[in-house]
Structure formats: structure tokens, C-alpha cells
Amino acid sequence: MTADPAFSARPARQTDARLVYDWRTNEAVRATSLNRESFDYEDHRVWFAKVLDDPSRHLLIVECEGEPRAVVRFDGSEGDNYEVSIYVDPSATGMGIGPRALLCAEDWLRAHLDRSCSITATVREENQPSHKLFCKCGYVVTTPTSYIKGIDQQ
């Protein structure tokens, strides 16, 4: 699968905080998340500002034809590894946006890094749509709930 040209990724801005909060706290999104705990908007704003200020983290808004459709976060860790997190606009689930958004975000990461890296993902065992997403996007299963993919520099 290749990236869809109708999709573009951009770094999140402080003005995206409410949108990200609304999507992340949506009941359907929380049900598939690793962290299902609820949190209030003020806590989210503090977290959001820290993420935006952390150079080892990349919080992206993926748009389709100019409309926000997904949030993808790459959290850097030791070496050249990033942990990925993705969720789609709750009103657009089931429309095939996840794989296109993830590939678009990977292209953004590739273009903004000066080195190759690996991306890992952890998925709840019962979250079958996410398992399918990572397989469809070329990730390799490492455990029943973990995936990895190498991103090479172009």
C-alpha cells in the first residue's frame, strides 16, 4: 500500500488541542486505546503543551483534502526507535482512513529525520481493526500485541 496524495500531515499546533481532546476522549476511541482512563481538558492541555515542546515526539494532524481526519504521534525512545499511536476522527471510522493516515504520517517522519529508524506499535489484543491496520501498512508482528516496521531514508 502506498500513501494517498489526498492526505497530508502537519505538526499539531496549540489550536488543535480541543480537536485532539475531543477525539481522544470519544468513547469509541477510548475503548480501543491502551490507556482507557478518562482525563479532563485542563490535564490534556498541560500534556499537549509538553508534547509539542518535546523534540523527541512528533504529534501530527493528518488531513484529507484539508480536513483533519486522524492524529498520529511518534514518541522517540532510545536509539532510532519510535512508538506510534494513531486514532481516526470518530465520525470517519470504517472509511479506510487509518492506513492512509498512517502511511502519510510515516512519509512525514521520513522527510523530517536525517536517519533511518524503526517504528513500533502496541495494540490491545482485542483491537482487531488496529491489528489489521498495522499488517496492511507493512508492520511485522513481534508478539501477539506488538508490531515493528523499519523506515529507511530516501
Side-chain angles (χ1 to χ4, degrees):
M1 183 170 198
T2 58
D4 185 327
F7 283 73
S8 61
R10 63 167 175 81
R13 301 181 285 256
Q14 196 61 49
T15 55
D16 295 312
R18 174 53 77 173
L19 173 75
V20 171
Y21 175 79
D22 289 346
W23 287 359
R24 177 61 182 84
T25 57
N26 177 276
E27 188 175 315
V29 172
R30 277 194 25 226
T32 61
S33 298
L34 291 175
N35 180 356
R36 294 180 175 177
E37 292 180 28
S38 62
F39 48 91
D40 65 28
Y41 184 63
E42 188 54 38
D43 289 340
H44 169 74
R45 285 187 43 201
V46 170
W47 170 86
F48 196 83
K50 286 180 183 178
V51 171
L52 293 183
D53 287 340
D54 186 341
S56 71
R57 301 172 97 181
H58 305 285
L59 182 61
L60 305 176
I61 304 297
V62 179
E63 299 177 339
C64 179
E65 298 176 351
E67 292 295 320
R69 289 295 178 214
V71 175
V72 180
R73 190 180 76 240
F74 296 106
D75 292 332
S77 62
E78 292 182 26
D80 295 322
N81 184 55
Y82 287 86
E83 174 82 15
V84 67
S85 171
I86 180 172
Y87 46 96
V88 172
D89 171 357
S91 71
T93 56
M95 298 172 64
I97 288 173
R100 294 181 287 170
L102 181 56
L103 292 173
C104 177
E106 290 173 6
D107 284 348
W108 184 96
L109 186 66
R110 183 180 293 111
H112 289 84
L113 290 180
D114 59 359
R115 64 195 183 285
S116 297
C117 68
S118 62
I119 301 173
T120 58
T122 305
V123 178
R124 294 184 76 81
E125 192 167 348
E126 66 275 12
N127 185 353
Q128 291 307 307
S130 288
H131 288 285
K132 290 176 185 175
L133 163 73
F134 289 109
C135 288
K136 188 172 191 174
C137 290
Y139 286 69
V140 175
V141 177
T142 56
T143 73
T145 59
S146 301
Y147 296 83
I148 192 166
K149 180 179 184 178
I151 300 293
D152 294 323
Q153 278 305 111
Q154 294 179 345

